[in-house]
Amino acid sequence: MTLAVVFLVLIVLTGGAGSGGVAWLTTLGVACAAALWLGRSRTGAARLVPFLPVVVAAALTASVCVPSVPTTRRYPPALPFVATQHWSLNTGSRVAVYHYPPAGQGSRHPVPLVYLHGGPVRGISVLDHRFLQLLARQGHDVYAYEQAGGGRSDPLPMDQYTISRSVRDLDAFIQRLDKGRVDVLGFSAGAVVLTRALAEPSAATRLHQAVIAEPGPMDGPTSRVTGHKGRPSARGLAPSANGPRSTHIPRYAVAFGLMRLGLLTTDTGLIGQAEGDNAFTAADLGSDTASAYCARDADRIPSEDTPQNFSFSPAASLRVQQTVKDSPSIASRLRRSKTPAMLMIAECSSQLRQWATTILANDPAIQRTQYMSGVGHHMWNGLDDNNDRAAAVITAFLRGERAPLPDHPTREEIPAFLRDRE
């Protein structure tokens, strides 16, 4: 046990250098020296006894240094129902792009709709693709791209994963689309990118309308706000996720655990970005997935993705989130926004309500807020009529039609909304 602790301390001190080999060899050297010292007064085979725990510890800690998945990036295979294009943006990012043209018999909305998925640095799930297909059947010309490093998009050097880069990539994507101003639907981490784009005049000029759905914290001050979430989610109630977990393997349990604790940097020498992406599985998200559903849905949470399509970059995601936490307030710039916007908040949201209400309080161009009852953070989840209800709310706003739901909470209702915990 003592040797294992020494090894972990050395992993931290060396930054995981050499895939953990530097820490392992140092630990082994110290352990052998200690065993020699302990056996100095013994004779014969007894002198080897102190080496037994060294051998055991060496074998156990060596498992942290040996990759069990490929160390070069494995991309998900092509989806059978939509073509994957790859666009090179003027920022240097190369992203995977999906297009769902209007497919319904009704009127077609003339402005393209761009979807920004959650994550950050995650692939677009099959569940989300189905929702995009529904929007296309309602007359929207839908484009979506997987943000750099996620899904089938090319990775970036670790130090280039920033929230500012994500905003620049959105702006560059719209320029590359070359269809004039566009509507944008941003969900979760994608809603953060969208909110920050609204606060950037150069990016906001390319936005026609914005739908901010279940946003995370928009900047550093907001990320430090304390408060409460929506009504109870299925976290802690849903059955454990099935499938293999990278965190059951010592190498990745140590790497991801120390990164989450802030004891290893995201560009650690212990595991590379590609290896971490290949190792991480949907089951590793565990209770995070359950937290996106209402408690009442705990026993029927749908499969959000297939094992073949699932993609998540844990180190890059932590890096982007840290740049949000480190960023100064954008409130003063957001108050100058003129892009018509709508905010969507889920009843059983796992997000702090203050993250959404801070945007509502500071963005004067938000024209309506739609409080989605009976759903958690992942509002379009394929259960009951949830997809249809979310699509109806989005379509009504983008077409300038009457809202399906009351405007709630309004800015005046924010204090009461934050007090409502029942």
Side-chain angles (χ1 to χ4, degrees):
M1 178 61 73
T2 300
L3 290 178
V5 172
V6 170
F7 173 69
L8 291 176
V9 170
L10 288 171
I11 285 285
V12 173
L13 293 177
T14 62
S19 194
V22 172
W24 186 81
L25 288 173
T26 303
T27 302
L28 186 60
V30 170
C32 288
L36 287 171
W37 186 83
L38 290 172
R40 69 190 186 284
S41 59
R42 303 184 185 190
T43 59
R47 299 182 64 181
L48 300 177
V49 173
F51 284 90
L52 292 178
V54 175
V55 173
V56 172
L60 292 175
T61 53
S63 64
V64 176
C65 305
V66 180
S68 59
V69 299
T71 56
T72 55
R73 184 75 170 91
R74 293 183 304 184
Y75 294 94
L79 291 164
F81 50 80
V82 64
T84 305
Q85 306 174 51
H86 284 91
W87 290 6
S88 295
L89 308 180
N90 61 27
T91 57
S93 298
R94 185 172 180 268
V95 297
V97 181
Y98 310 94
H99 181 209
Y100 292 104
Q105 299 298 317
S107 60
R108 298 190 174 187
H109 191 59
V111 180
L113 174 62
V114 174
Y115 177 61
L116 289 176
H117 61 85
V121 199
R122 181 176 179 175
I124 299 176
S125 70
V126 170
L127 201 60
D128 277 8
H129 275 289
R130 290 174 185 154
F131 183 65
L132 300 181
Q133 290 171 324
L134 173 58
L135 291 175
R137 290 196 297 271
Q138 295 197 350
H140 298 283
D141 190 16
V142 181
Y143 290 84
Y145 68 94
E146 288 171 318
Q147 293 156 38
R152 296 162 185 81
S153 294
D154 288 359
L156 300 173
M158 189 57 68
D159 62 357
Q160 292 187 26
Y161 288 108
T162 66
I163 189 61
S164 297
R165 175 60 172 266
S166 298
V167 174
R168 294 197 301 273
D169 279 352
L170 170 62
D171 187 47
F173 179 83
I174 297 171
Q175 292 182 59
R176 174 69 171 75
L177 185 59
D178 196 24
K179 290 182 177 289
R181 293 196 301 160
V182 302
D183 296 331
V184 179
L185 165 61
F187 167 65
S188 192
V192 177
V193 176
L194 175 55
T195 300
R196 294 181 70 98
L198 293 171
E200 292 290 340
S202 59
T205 57
R206 305 186 201 282
L207 306 181
H208 180 251
Q209 295 180 106
V211 178
I212 305 166
E214 279 287 285
M218 68 182 189
D219 54 23
T222 309
S223 70
R224 293 186 285 274
V225 167
T226 58
H228 67 282
K229 303 176 182 179
R231 291 183 172 84
S233 75
R235 190 184 188 98
L237 301 175
S240 298
N242 294 322
R245 294 174 183 248
S246 68
T247 48
H248 289 172
I249 301 171
R251 177 172 175 81
Y252 307 112
V254 169
F256 297 147
L258 293 178
M259 277 193 280
R260 287 191 67 87
L261 292 172
L263 298 175
L264 280 182
T265 62
T266 52
D267 59 350
T268 174
L270 182 56
I271 61 170
Q273 179 185 170
E275 183 187 350
D277 295 359
N278 293 339
F280 203 86
T281 69
D284 284 319
L285 292 175
S287 58
D288 286 343
T289 298
S291 70
Y293 293 82
C294 289
R296 66 177 73 96
D297 295 325
D299 293 325
R300 59 171 193 153
I301 293 176
S303 297
E304 295 194 339
D305 213 347
T306 62
Q308 296 76 22
N309 186 63
F310 177 81
S311 169
F312 186 77
S313 181
S317 182
L318 287 172
R319 164 78 183 170
V320 173
Q321 292 176 63
Q322 189 61 50
T323 65
V324 174
K325 294 175 183 177
D326 293 341
S327 68
S329 172
I330 65 168
S332 60
R333 287 180 286 142
L334 188 59
R335 293 187 195 112
R336 295 192 289 270
S337 176
K338 297 181 180 178
T339 304
M342 178 179 71
L343 181 65
M344 297 176 70
I345 303 175
E347 178 185 10
C348 310
S349 178
S350 56
Q351 311 285 74
L352 287 186
R353 284 183 168 178
Q354 283 84 350
W355 294 346
T357 57
T358 297
I359 297 173
L360 176 60
N362 287 285
D363 185 350
I366 291 180
Q367 299 177 345
R368 65 177 72 165
T369 302
Q370 301 284 269
Y371 180 70
M372 307 296 293
S373 63
V375 293
H377 179 58
H378 205 156
M379 293 182 285
W380 38 86
N381 53 37
L383 298 176
D384 305 326
D385 63 345
N386 295 336
N387 283 21
D388 291 330
R389 290 194 297 132
V393 162
I394 293 167
T395 298
F397 172 71
L398 295 180
R399 293 188 174 180
E401 299 170 352
R402 183 177 178 178
L405 302 172
D407 184 15
H408 172 72
T410 63
R411 292 178 183 84
E412 294 73 20
E413 293 172 338
I414 289 176
F417 181 70
L418 295 178
R419 289 195 299 269
D420 177 17
R421 298 169 185 254
E422 300 301 327

